């Protein structure tokens, strides 16, 4: 796993796709699903969906954006 993350840090195009497209889209979908679950009556699982995976995708996007900026500054 470390090997693949190390390889990923060298490709600014992959970090761009992860940081600006994939992770924010997944965070939006999961947040929508959590909000729908709260409205439909499953409050505990809806709040868990709103808090845990959404935050993971947001922090993943921030990680990818910061690593891409560092990579572009080095070049």
């Amino acid at each position: 796993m470390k090997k693949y993350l190390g390889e990923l840090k060298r490709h600014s195009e992959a970090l761009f796709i992860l940081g600006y497209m994939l992770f924010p889209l997944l965070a939006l979908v999961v947040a929508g699903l959590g909000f729908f679950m709260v409205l439909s009556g499953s409050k505990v699982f809806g709040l868990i969906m709103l808090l845990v995976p959404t935050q993971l995708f947001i922090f993943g996007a921030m990680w990818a954006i910061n690593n891409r900026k560092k990579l572009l500054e080095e070049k």
Side-chain angles (χ1 to χ4, degrees):
M1 181 85 170
K2 275 187 166 182
K3 179 178 129 180
Y4 295 118
L5 283 175
E7 283 291 320
L8 181 66
K9 287 183 180 180
R10 294 186 199 144
H11 301 288
S12 65
E13 297 86 11
L15 291 172
F16 174 80
I17 291 172
L18 286 175
Y20 288 107
M21 294 181 196
L22 185 64
F23 283 151
L25 178 66
L26 288 172
L28 182 65
V29 169
V30 170
L33 177 65
F35 187 65
F36 177 74
M37 289 174 74
V38 167
L39 291 178
S40 67
S42 181
K43 291 186 170 122
V44 173
F45 292 117
L47 288 174
I48 290 171
M49 289 294 287
L50 278 170
L51 296 176
V52 178
T54 304
Q55 295 298 318
L56 287 175
F57 287 131
I58 290 171
F59 288 129
M62 291 176 12
W63 172 83
I65 291 169
N66 286 334
N67 280 332
R68 181 177 182 267
K69 284 182 184 178
K70 289 177 187 175
L71 182 66
L72 291 177
E73 286 175 359
E74 288 176 4
K75 288 185 179 182

